[in-house]
Amino acid sequence: MKRFLLIRGAELVAFLLLAAVPLAVTNPFALGLLTLLAIYGILLIGLDVTVGYLGQVNLAQAAFLGIGAYTAGLLVMKLGVGLLPSLAGAFLLCLVLGSLLALPALRLEGPQFALATLSFLALTTTVLNEWESLTKGAEGLQLNRPPLFDITLNAPGFYWLCLVLLALVWMGMRNLLSSQWGRAFEALRDSPIATDAMGVGTYRHKVIAFAFGSALGGLAGGLYAFNFQYLQPQSFVYELMVILLLGVVLGGRKSLWGACVGAALIVLLPNLLSNRNLFQIFSVIGLVVALGAGTRAWLKKSVRPFQVIAPVAAMGLLALGSFLVSNTEDWRKAIFALMLFAVVVGLPEGLMGWAAGALARLFRVAAAPLPPATDLDLVLPMQALSGHTLLELRDLKRHFGGVKAVDGVSITVRSGHIHGLIGPNGSGKSTAVNVISGLYAPTAGDILLDGKALPRGSLFSVAGAGIARTFQNLQLFGELTALDNVMVALRDTYRTPWPLVLLGLARKEEKQAQAAALALLQLVGLGDQALSKAKDLTYGAQRFLEIARALARKPRLLILDEPAAGLAHPDAVELVKIIKRVHGRGVTMILIEHHMDVVSELCDTVTVLDGGRIIAEGDPEIVKRDPKVVEAYLGAMAAEAPAVDTGASTAPAAA
Ligand code: ADP
Ligand code: MG
């Protein structure tokens, strides 16, 4: 409650203060800056969705600002549309164009995505320039601000409109980001593969996020048009984009406060530059702060030396320059560059990221308490142990060029069984389960789940069919808490349609999801670490968390790819207990495992692969005495890795 009051209270106070300004200040210049702040706030919140949450360098936001501005302006001037409908038009057009750009661009990664968005920006400014019959080109488009429901808006009135819209965007975005949508955005940044394998749909979420961020750019554009009432294509070029990125990074990514602080900074900076004395004071303060904060961090040894030296040097140059240079306007770009450099190195979390850390230390607000865990029977219903054929592989092949990783494998997995898959390193075990789970498409062969063909080559579709998996190389969402990792994967839980999510009407569902995820964490013994970030857990706990996350899918078949790899002895013992517990609920499993005694203890049937082919299959006790198996696998294993004693096993490791 205290936390809720502090956070919501701070938001409320900030907006009330901003709204009260026109009552006290009548200076039109100051009001103009505040209006611009609200507009840029909306724009940067939209940009932060891609840059902050998806972690992609998006260079198209300036284009959407321009498209939104011209759309709203032309709707008013050519068609006589009213103020709110033309803002809605700008929003919707950018939503559509954002999706159209995202569909191909988000198939690309990193630098290629940045270049695709950059081309879109170049294309947009060219079209705005050259389509003179519509936009009047470089001459510029004059427009009038239409009335709002018959009320002619004066400067304070328009400012309040912008502020109300910013508040609505802020609330909607906060609700969206604290729902399963925001979690999915963060998850796919940490591991797109796992996001797909948990049935969330990486690509779909990325496209939606980008389109939504672009639409906010369009809305900001509409307001921009009605604010200046004069539009020129060269306002929406690359230079603006650099300033917008500066705003997001400087303010702090992944933060609504950060976006608005960034907006305030980029609104104020150009004015700061035009007043020499003010700029001198500003840069000296900047230098003192960099020196003070740097020295303190240095004494606490919390940073590396260059993180102190570089920002101090950059701010020093700025301070020196402010006294040497007579016209700071000419040095605009260099000044922005120095500031950006100082912030990126010295304050990588941005101003608000740094402030949030300091505030958290000051107030020490406890995290919101978790609801009691749901009954496990509801989260992971008991499945009947029928023994019928659940999964069938028929002559499955997967070749990589000349490497026949899997070369004609036929396996039948029975419902309720733990089916072991063993074989020396490189024998094709991981490839086989990667093909089943859809990470790779098969080269040939059939995969049937309950007699029906399983989707091929799509993690997302296979996850939808009821198969969940863990990964030999951990694929956790490192920046998310253990609880959030599980919550991302919960199946059949999030039913509230997105418009209601935006309105904040998904809170109850969210609590239910927390309770369900907690039950699964308790099942693997991580109940008391629910709020730790996944990357901060011990290695063993990370392995167990992956199992809990996969179980959130209520899987019909659970594939565990070497869950014991790298585990210390006590963790390996714990793992066996967890697998037994899960099996006790009737979950069918494919278990890839190296240690023969673990396999003997857990598995009903075991298939042995060598060189992509099956060399033995059947009861583990019999298979492990098979001379071919001893030769191909166990001999090699006994030499390199001694079997783990699980404490409960009585089966001797075969030699
Ligand atoms: P295991 O899990 O049994 O140790 P893998 O299935 O990982 O074995 O590998 C089987 C063979 O396939 C190895 O020779 C490996 O180098 C090859 N392989 C696996 N994945 C790929 C890939 N993506 N591209 C090329 N070769 C691969
Ligand atoms: Mg493997």
Side-chain angles (χ1 to χ4, degrees), residues 537-558:
L537 295 176
T538 62
Y539 182 73
Q542 292 184 346
R543 285 254 172 228
F544 302 159
L545 176 57
E546 259 208 357
I547 297 177
R549 185 181 65 179
L551 288 173
R553 302 289 309 152
K554 297 191 173 82
R556 318 218 18 230
L557 173 67
L558 173 64

Side-chain angles (χ1 to χ4, degrees), residues 398 400-401 403-406 423-432 434 440 472 561-562 592 594 609:
R398 172 69 212 203
F400 297 102
V403 182
K404 298 179 173 177
V406 173
N425 273 331
S427 57
K429 306 178 298 292
S430 289
T431 304
N434 284 341
Y440 303 140
Q472 183 174 349
D561 191 351
E562 293 204 32
I592 300 182
H594 264 317
L609 291 183

